[in-house]
Amino acid sequence: MARQVQQTETSGMVKAVSVADYIVERLAAEGINHCFGVAGDYVFPICDAVDSSTNVKWIGCANELNASYAADGYARIRGAAMLVTTYGVGELSALNGVMGAKAERSLVFHIVGMPSYQNQRLGKIAHHTLGDGVFGNFVDLSAGAACCHAVINPENCIVEMERVIGEARRNNQPAYIAVPSDYALSPVMSADVKPIVPRSNEVALQKAMAIIAERVDNAKSVVVLPAFTILRLGLQEQAQKAIEALGCPFVTTLMEKCVIDEGHPQFAGIYAGAVSDPKTRQIVEGADLVLDLGGVNLNDITTAAYSAQLALSRFITVGLDDVRIGDKVIANVRLTDVLSELAKLKPSSTPYRGARQELAPVTGNPSDKITMVALYPRYAAFLRAGDTLVLETGSTSLGVTPTILPDGVRVEAQVLWGSIGWATPAAFGIALADPGRRTVLITGEGSHQLTANDIGAMGRFGANVIVFVLNNGGYLIERALEENPDWTYNDVAPWNYAELPKALGCADWYTARVTTLGELDDAMKAARASKTGAYIEIIGGKMDMPPILAFAHSRLKEMYGGTP
Ligand SMILES: Cc1ncc(C[n+]2csc(CCOP(=O)(O)OP(=O)(O)O)c2C)c(N)n1
Ligand SMILES: [Mg+2]
């Protein structure tokens, strides 16, 4: 790769590779074939490099926020994604999405075109600036949404790219790469560096494994919590092998839905503090040793309003890059290596076997209005192996996540960052990242209003997503999180959702607006059969909410703290 990008031959002439071409092809070598973004003059050289690349396709989004969400979705499947925005106005619009990728450990390379070095040097007053002749106003802001960053010039380009790629991979978080527009067109200067691949310190790894093995041997009961990072790093199979070798039960929090099939015999349920099944709660809260594989995030949502009773002294946390046992931290140990070592353990002769959790029965009559009690089991019955379900923040995700889903379904959600509007473009990115699976998006209508315009991009780029939009007359989750559900700020403009695909250029999509269970069942069948995208608007009740949300409603003080 290094030689290939140092010099290429075009029509017999030796042509030096530009900085822009180098960056694009180097990132393509990371397994990235699509670049999400919005063009702009300062970033034209990067856009041109993408457009002329045979490895990377330009995916124009309606705005940079959408592009950042789409890139996050793509990175979750491919391991990394490319996001391109222009100086100031573009990059700042993408910040929420990039910051979300940082929180949720998704590796987005955010490339920004800056005004030329020459104009920066002359302190010219330029568009997309504060008019102060200063060009460093936004670098720190965008860099704050990444785990590492570089401002590129022709001389540092090769070294800096290896540094940021290595560091971003080590943390599995975004990297920010800023490139002045004239430098982007300059020939890259050669440098002799090798890719940096994060790896464990062997001694530290063996030390960590010895402690883990001893704790596992001495524990009367062990439970594994496989973390969301397993999904981000694509380590599901390794994690499953490790769990099988350990032979103990595993549970998932709302952030790890289906990371390993829920039909797996060692699956002991979804753990969410006080709203867990009592058996699941006992297995987790009563365990001598909780082996956290990947660093679970015990936040207000995953612990159901801090109702979990988990003594951290019983935890061993295997992070991406270290192992924590009580007050002891063993650094430079990679999660993937710990999983491989665990998989070598002699399998237990009496592994845990939980009762297989069946899908909830589908109930109700065709003429019935659509209630949430009838809807969630229908989603479970609709989904099948090979589907990737993308869940939006809102009442639905709190209803669907505790619902057992079929084996082979992958679930992606932004539980921690929880920025509404994420799921629609994320589903787009996920669909492009793996067209071999069917992407199914479930969103509330309030969230959808933030980013629905990229349904157009789905149609344009042939991403055949099946979209379910729950129209329940506003922000139900917010109504539930307040004493008074009727504040007007929880109402939204009453759009004709089912007409959106047509207006946005997806004329061949299957669309429906359903108010009864019979209509919903028919629409689900038609959506599944559709070769193009499908879009179903479901009319739900204004206060019809899942049990976990009703529970949160009864614990508002614990969630938010009492009045001082
Ligand atoms: C970017 C952003 N703005 C505001 C919020 C606060 N918020 C959380 S959920 C929500 C409403 C979701 O409503 P909807 O998508 O209709 O789902 P429902 O709960 O009604 O099913 C809002 C406004 C947020 N999480 N993210
Ligand atoms: Mg709603």
Side-chain angles (χ1 to χ4, degrees):
M1 157 78 204
R3 181 167 304 160
Q4 180 208 327
V5 293
Q6 275 166 30
Q7 292 202 318
T8 54
E9 288 187 30
T10 320
S11 11
M13 296 215 342
V14 175
K15 180 177 164 255
V17 167
S18 71
V19 164
D21 286 332
Y22 182 85
I23 292 171
V24 169
E25 296 309 325
R26 180 64 190 85
L27 293 180
E30 292 296 300
I32 301 170
N33 302 115
H34 299 80
C35 172
F36 299 90
V38 178
D41 53 1
Y42 298 131
V43 79
F44 279 162
I46 303 283
C47 300
D48 294 352
V50 172
D51 242 6
S52 50
S53 169
T54 50
N55 296 315
V56 184
K57 185 175 160 82
W58 178 262
I59 306 293
C61 294
N63 59 56
E64 289 84 354
L65 178 62
N66 290 3
S68 66
Y69 291 154
D72 176 359
Y74 188 91
R76 286 166 180 238
I77 307 299
R78 290 284 188 100
M82 202 186 305
L83 166 69
V84 165
T85 65
T86 198
Y87 185 68
V89 292
E91 61 183 307
L92 296 181
S93 295
L95 267 193
N96 175 3
V98 182
M99 197 70 89
K102 183 176 184 180
E104 301 252 339
R105 298 242 179 209
S106 175
L107 200 178
V108 173
F109 290 100
H110 184 196
I111 302 155
V112 172
M114 297 180 83
S116 69
Y117 169 73
Q118 297 170 64
N119 283 356
Q120 291 191 40
R121 185 77 178 80
L122 298 172
K124 286 202 172 164
I125 307 293
H127 63 282
H128 304 339
T129 74
L130 304 181
D132 52 6
V134 175
F135 293 88
N137 285 320
F138 315 125
V139 170
D140 288 348
L141 298 177
S142 289
C147 73
C148 57
H149 77 284
V151 180
I152 299 289
N153 64 48
E155 196 175 4
N156 74 8
C157 179
I158 293 179
V159 173
E160 285 292 75
M161 285 302 291
E162 294 312 325
R163 180 181 66 82
V164 295
I165 290 169
E167 192 58 11
R169 287 256 178 236
R170 201 168 68 79
N171 295 295
N172 219 64
Q173 283 177 317
Y176 171 63
I177 299 165
V179 196
S181 60
D182 51 352
Y183 279 165
L185 293 168
S186 306
V188 75
M189 289 170 72
S190 64
D192 193 15
V193 284
K194 285 204 192 88
I196 302 163
V197 182
R199 62 201 157 90
S200 297
N201 171 308
E202 199 49 42
V203 176
L205 175 63
Q206 292 317 327
K207 192 168 152 193
M209 291 316 301
I211 299 177
I212 295 173
E214 192 203 323
R215 286 285 299 271
V216 168
D217 278 350
N218 292 337
K220 280 195 216 71
S221 51
V222 181
V223 64
V224 167
L225 290 169
F228 62 102
T229 47
I230 301 266
L231 265 175
R232 304 290 189 275
L233 294 170
L235 297 174
Q236 297 93 310
E237 265 178 42
Q238 275 173 272
Q240 183 168 329
K241 283 192 186 132
I243 288 168
E244 285 166 1
L246 284 160
C248 64
F250 73 94
V251 303
T252 52
T253 82
L254 300 185
M255 283 179 80
E256 289 89 17
K257 177 80 180 158
C258 296
V259 56
I260 294 167
D261 285 339
E262 296 183 331
H264 192 284
Q266 285 166 256
F267 181 56
I270 292 154
Y271 177 70
V275 297
S276 323
D277 180 281
K279 264 201 218 130
T280 305
R281 194 171 187 195
Q282 166 56 29
I283 284 174
V284 179
E285 297 184 358
D288 269 359
L289 174 62
V290 181
L291 189 51
D292 165 6
L293 296 180
V296 289
N297 196 277
L298 298 174
N299 54 54
D300 45 354
I301 311 224
T302 52
T303 63
Y306 306 117
S307 63
Q309 281 164 13
L310 288 171
L312 289 178
S313 56
R314 291 187 286 114
F315 267 65
I316 292 183
T317 296
V318 183
L320 252 49
D321 213 38
D322 58 27
V323 176
R324 181 170 176 176
I325 305 138
D327 286 340
K328 200 178 171 103
V329 173
I330 304 175
N332 276 128
V333 176
R334 298 293 297 170
L335 172 61
T336 172
D337 294 330
V338 174
L339 295 180
S340 305
E341 291 296 316
L342 285 174
K344 290 182 199 158
L345 292 178
K346 201 168 127 287
S348 144
S349 52
T350 51
Y352 170 85
R353 289 284 177 260
R356 193 184 162 91
Q357 309 201 29
E358 301 299 337
L359 302 192
V362 167
T363 56
N365 297 314
S367 58
D368 291 350
K369 290 259 174 285
I370 299 166
T371 60
M372 297 308 109
V373 168
L375 179 60
Y376 304 138
R378 275 181 169 72
Y379 282 137
F382 173 79
L383 292 164
R384 54 164 83 143
D387 287 347
T388 300
L389 172 64
V390 186
L391 281 175
E392 181 60 275
T393 295
S395 72
T396 303
S397 55
L398 295 178
V400 171
T401 316
T403 307
I404 296 297
L405 297 181
D407 290 353
V409 173
R410 179 177 178 138
V411 179
E412 294 294 343
Q414 201 198 41
V415 178
L416 171 63
W417 189 247
S419 182
I420 60 166
W422 172 84
T424 299
F428 172 43
I430 285 168
L432 287 186
D434 186 358
R437 294 176 71 91
R438 193 88 202 240
T439 304
V440 178
L441 163 66
I442 300 185
T443 176
E445 94 283 37
S447 306
H448 194 49
Q449 286 205 1
L450 277 83
T451 52
N453 46 2
D454 263 329
I455 292 290
M458 289 184 190
R460 177 181 170 203
F461 293 106
N464 295 327
V465 178
I466 299 176
V467 183
F468 293 99
V469 178
L470 176 67
N471 180 355
N472 54 12
Y475 300 153
L476 170 55
I477 189 169
E478 297 212 329
R479 297 189 200 284
L481 294 179
E482 297 194 90
E483 298 294 345
N484 172 10
D486 290 324
W487 294 110
T488 60
Y489 53 73
N490 287 325
D491 302 335
V492 298
W495 290 11
N496 295 315
Y497 297 93
E499 291 173 26
L500 285 179
K502 187 155 181 255
L504 294 169
C506 308
D508 58 350
W509 277 30
Y510 169 78
T511 62
R513 181 178 191 271
V514 297
T515 55
T516 65
L517 292 176
E519 288 168 357
L520 173 62
D521 291 339
D522 290 346
M524 281 180 153
K525 270 194 210 113
R528 181 57 81 183
S530 149
K531 295 272 171 280
T532 59
Y535 189 106
I536 301 172
E537 175 186 354
I538 299 172
I539 307 300
K542 189 172 164 186
M543 285 304 285
D544 186 2
M545 67 181 82
I548 196 169
L549 194 51
F551 179 77
H553 184 64
S554 70
R555 281 179 66 92
L556 296 179
K557 273 207 190 84
E558 287 82 352
M559 282 222 18
Y560 300 112
T563 311

